Amino acid sequence: MTESAERAGEPAARGRILADLTPLRTSPDYRRLWFGNTVSWIGQGMTALAVSLQVYDLTGSAFSVGLIGACSLVPLVVFGLYGGAVADTVDRRKLGLVSAFGSFLLSVALVAITVAGIERVGVLYGIVALQAVCFALNSPARSSMIARLLPAEQLPAANALNSMTSTTGTLVGPMLGGLIVGWWGYRAAYGVDAVTFTASLYAMWRLPSMLPERDDTEDRKRASVLDGLRFLGTRPNLRMTFLSDLCAMVLAQPRALFPVVAVLWYGGDAQTTGLLVAAPALGALLGGVFSGWLGSVRRHGLAVLVAVACWGAAVAVFGLTRQLWLGIVFLALAGAADTTSMVFRNTMLQAAVPDELRGRLQGVFIVVVAGGPRLGDFIAGSAADLTSPGLAVTGGGIACAVAVGLLALRWPAFARYDARDPEA
């Protein structure tokens, strides 16, 4: 593109409000991948709810339902790192295809055990763990592909569209899952999930081969997790993408307290808790829908810092609210800020990391995304027991904003990061 063409396009980029659909228009491969992932995310959301309901039906125990998360966390952490190394070793298309097919077979297995009348919680736990393994192998491969399918200037738009995929699955999947389980039972929900995976399989099947860009075949065989961690240790800008996210997810993660505050602050019940849970996801979805302006932002590091600080501030103010509608508004604002942070953090990982290391860095990303919020749940619950829910939420939000400010002072180059000259 010529310089004059770039200047001509700048006003349009700045004036855009709704999500930039350019990646969907210009890349048929990305379009199929995005559509397939969106459909399969909805199916996975349905299955996640159905498994939770089935475990509760079988045990009558909330603790048993909580163990579902533990069954998925360990495989996500372990195989997230390992899956990233594999994605930097083999054809990423084949890895994505095999892992997606594994998820499809596990959905079929859920249908089969339900039809056969097998009512064993341990079997469900095992399938959930294997699903987490497949996801941990699939996600680094899929994320690493995007930078190969699109030019660098379209990555923010693509990541905003990807955020809409995950939040749509989080919102729509459980709602549909609840309706389908209520009308036709668990086997129907699992069956729909199996069908939706065919969209992801088709998208992967149509992709071109995507071996990591490395000339030395011998080096490709030796790709290891430690190499990715060593690379991260020498790249302060990339480290900051993870540290800033941990500030938000560990210090200011209020979701574990939603059932408590729904009763104590708002005089509500389970439905109120559901509204609080849905509010950040709705805000994140709206953040993706109205993400057109993100393409004109060049200072990605500064945008991440501001977004994380806004998350902390919104959570802190939520801790002061005692009116439900106002609490929902601030949680939605926090969700929108999280989408902005995620878009630019992902874009920096894709643009500033060499292709042969992208899988391993995406594996680290999975570990942070999977483990950070769960550690945040523990800290929020502990702080609320030691003090009060209000102090735990507001104090956590303030701590997040302060911590990300201190990180910005410690590594000032992060705020100067320019997308036109990506520097890890």
Side-chain angles (χ1 to χ4, degrees):
M1 181 182 291
T2 66
E3 185 177 346
S4 61
E6 288 180 354
R7 284 198 299 267
E10 285 178 0
R14 291 196 184 99
R16 183 181 288 116
I17 297 176
L18 295 178
D20 184 0
L21 304 182
T22 302
L24 297 176
R25 291 195 298 266
T26 59
S27 173
D29 287 328
Y30 175 77
R31 183 168 60 246
R32 285 189 292 267
L33 191 64
W34 182 84
F35 177 77
N37 289 338
T38 300
V39 173
S40 63
W41 264 94
I42 293 174
Q44 290 172 70
M46 293 170 52
T47 289
L49 180 74
V51 169
S52 297
L53 292 173
Q54 190 170 11
V55 168
Y56 188 75
D57 280 349
L58 294 175
T59 65
S61 166
F63 176 76
S64 297
V65 176
L67 284 178
I68 297 173
C71 290
S72 63
L73 176 60
V74 174
L76 279 175
V77 171
V78 174
F79 285 91
L81 292 173
Y82 176 72
V86 175
D88 286 338
T89 304
V90 303
D91 184 345
R92 289 164 180 162
R93 170 190 173 270
K94 290 182 180 178
L95 178 60
L97 190 60
V98 169
S99 53
F101 187 67
S103 295
F104 166 75
L105 291 179
L106 290 169
S107 294
V108 172
L110 285 171
V111 177
I113 65 171
T114 307
V115 171
I118 299 174
E119 297 183 341
R120 295 181 181 176
V121 176
V123 174
L124 293 175
Y125 286 159
I127 291 177
V128 167
L130 290 174
Q131 286 177 327
V133 171
C134 289
F135 177 82
L137 294 173
N138 183 274
S139 186
R142 188 178 64 243
S143 298
S144 301
M145 294 175 185
I146 295 174
R148 298 274 291 273
L149 297 175
L150 298 168
E153 64 269 16
Q154 293 184 20
L155 291 179
N159 287 316
L161 291 169
N162 293 341
S163 75
M164 293 170 62
T165 290
S166 58
T167 50
T168 298
T170 302
L171 284 172
V172 177
M175 288 190 295
L176 288 178
L179 290 173
I180 291 175
V181 169
W183 289 338
W184 299 299
Y186 297 115
R187 72 185 68 178
Y190 299 144
V192 171
D193 183 25
V195 172
T196 61
F197 259 111
T198 60
S200 182
L201 286 170
Y202 174 75
M204 288 286 182
W205 181 265
R206 291 289 305 274
L207 290 174
S209 175
M210 285 197 193
L211 282 167
E213 291 178 344
R214 185 183 294 156
D215 295 331
D216 192 333
T217 305
E218 189 64 25
D219 281 347
R220 185 179 298 130
K221 295 177 181 177
R222 296 175 180 174
S224 71
V225 173
L226 290 178
D227 290 336
L229 295 177
R230 291 191 191 101
F231 177 82
L232 184 61
T234 61
R235 299 301 190 272
N237 284 338
L238 293 180
R239 285 202 309 274
M240 276 290 289
T241 65
F242 295 110
L243 293 174
S244 59
D245 187 50
L246 287 173
C247 287
M249 295 299 100
V250 175
L251 298 177
Q253 178 56 264
R255 66 182 186 183
L257 302 180
F258 286 162
V260 177
V261 303
V263 175
L264 295 182
W265 296 357
Y266 307 122
D269 51 16
Q271 292 180 338
T272 307
T273 302
L275 290 174
L276 296 177
V277 171
L282 178 60
L285 179 60
L286 292 175
V289 171
F290 296 101
S291 63
W293 61 277
L294 297 181
S296 64
V297 176
R298 302 299 181 208
R299 300 280 292 279
H300 289 183
L302 180 60
V304 170
L305 294 173
V306 172
V308 173
C310 287
W311 164 280
V315 170
V317 176
F318 165 70
L320 300 174
T321 63
R322 295 301 181 266
Q323 291 181 300
L324 179 60
W325 70 268
L326 195 57
I328 289 174
V329 167
F330 279 100
L331 287 175
L333 289 174
D338 186 47
T339 289
T340 301
S341 169
M342 184 279 298
V343 166
F344 290 121
R345 286 185 290 110
N346 251 337
T347 300
M348 291 175 71
L349 283 177
Q350 292 160 345
V353 177
D355 184 71
E356 69 268 18
L357 287 164
R358 281 191 186 125
R360 277 164 283 187
L361 270 295
Q362 288 294 336
V364 176
F365 183 83
I366 290 175
V367 172
V368 171
V369 169
R374 288 166 174 82
L375 180 56
D377 290 342
F378 173 75
I379 290 176
S382 301
D385 281 344
L386 293 172
T387 57
S388 69
L391 188 57
V393 174
T394 298
I398 294 173
C400 167
V402 171
V404 78
L406 293 175
L407 287 174
L409 292 175
R410 174 63 181 82
W411 287 287
F414 185 68
R416 297 193 297 269
Y417 178 96
D418 193 323
R420 291 167 293 191
D421 185 23
E423 186 176 333

